[in-house]
Amino acid sequence: AQSVAQPEDQVNVAEGNPLTVKCTYSVSGNPYLFWYVQYPNRGLQFLLKYITGDNLVKGSYGFEAEFNKSQTSFHLKKPSALVSDSALYFCAVRDDSGNTPLVFGKGTRLSVIA
Amino acid sequence: GAVVSQHPSWVICKSGTSVKIECRSLDFQATTMFWYRQFPKQSLMLMATSNEGSKATYEQGVEKDKFLINHASLTLSTLTVTSAHPEDSSFYICSAPLPTGVKNQPQHFGDGTRLSIL
């Protein structure tokens, strides 16, 4: 069975500082990993994904994530946070077996303070 | 632009009413769509997998007679919450993966439907 853990319910960071949102996963087979962002009363917007290749993945809005197989982690990062980055972030995983649904972490609320 | 359209975005109705939510894939055919439910400050929980031309597959604990799913065409899936009660109030989100053969692509999500039962 697949699972995702986001250990932090809330992350607070000052504007201009680097941010990290943590994610660890468990999956049989090769993982397909995703980060999504959700704004209030909206659906999910895709940020980035890791399928294979370079462990450092760059995505939308300046976000990046690093895949670490030994630590089964896929932490989301951004060098310099913006107030507009404040939102709910979800890490998700599925295996490589086909058109399977995503399994989501519980989400981490990011607050960027001016 | 959006690749999955979900409608309506917000519904407020009386207890006992049935509510239909539509999920459409735009510019691609989706033989499979997923329906999720999200409670306040919680993650998305998969409710069911909608399959075009066959019955939906429901997750454990989801009442199939309460949440009727119809995958009417290759671009449309509907979720009907029958005889809704206040405990059904939630945020419902659909998603559609791109066609098989593009399986590495992310799933695309609708904007969600906020359902409030009075």
Side-chain angles (χ1 to χ4, degrees), chain B residues 55-74:
Chain B
K55 291 182 179 180
T57 306
Y58 290 83
E59 295 301 300
Q60 191 173 7
V62 178
E63 300 176 58
K64 56 183 68 176
D65 293 332
K66 161 69 90 174
F67 299 101
L68 299 179
I69 290 174
N70 182 20
H71 203 129
S73 73
L74 287 170

Side-chain angles (χ1 to χ4, degrees), chain B:
Chain B
V3 296
V4 175
S5 173
Q6 188 171 341
H7 178 81
S9 56
W10 203 305
V11 179
I12 302 174
C13 58
K14 294 180 180 179
S15 184
T17 306
S18 291
V19 178
K20 181 186 284 188
I21 303 170
E22 294 186 347
C23 182
R24 294 180 184 275
S25 58
L26 308 177
D27 300 326
F28 71 97
Q29 295 180 336
T31 57
T32 301
M33 291 186 178
F34 302 111
W35 287 97
Y36 294 86
R37 181 174 181 177
Q38 184 180 28
F39 290 102
K41 300 183 180 180
Q42 293 190 30
S43 188
L44 283 75
M45 300 301 296
L46 179 68
M47 297 176 64
T49 301
S50 173
N51 304 298
E52 191 272 336
S54 64
K55 291 182 179 180
T57 306
Y58 290 83
E59 295 301 300
Q60 191 173 7
V62 178
E63 300 176 58
K64 56 183 68 176
D65 293 332
K66 161 69 90 174
F67 299 101
L68 299 179
I69 290 174
N70 182 20
H71 203 129
S73 73
L74 287 170
T75 59
L76 175 63
S77 174
T78 60
L79 168 66
T80 301
V81 184
T82 62
S83 187
H85 292 285
E87 59 266 28
D88 298 323
S89 299
S90 191
F91 193 58
Y92 294 87
I93 308 176
C94 70
S95 78
L98 290 180
T100 306
V102 202
K103 70 174 183 177
N104 294 343
Q105 297 304 311
Q107 290 181 20
H108 293 280
F109 288 81
D111 271 348
T113 298
R114 170 76 56 197
L115 177 61
S116 298
I117 309 298
L118 304 177

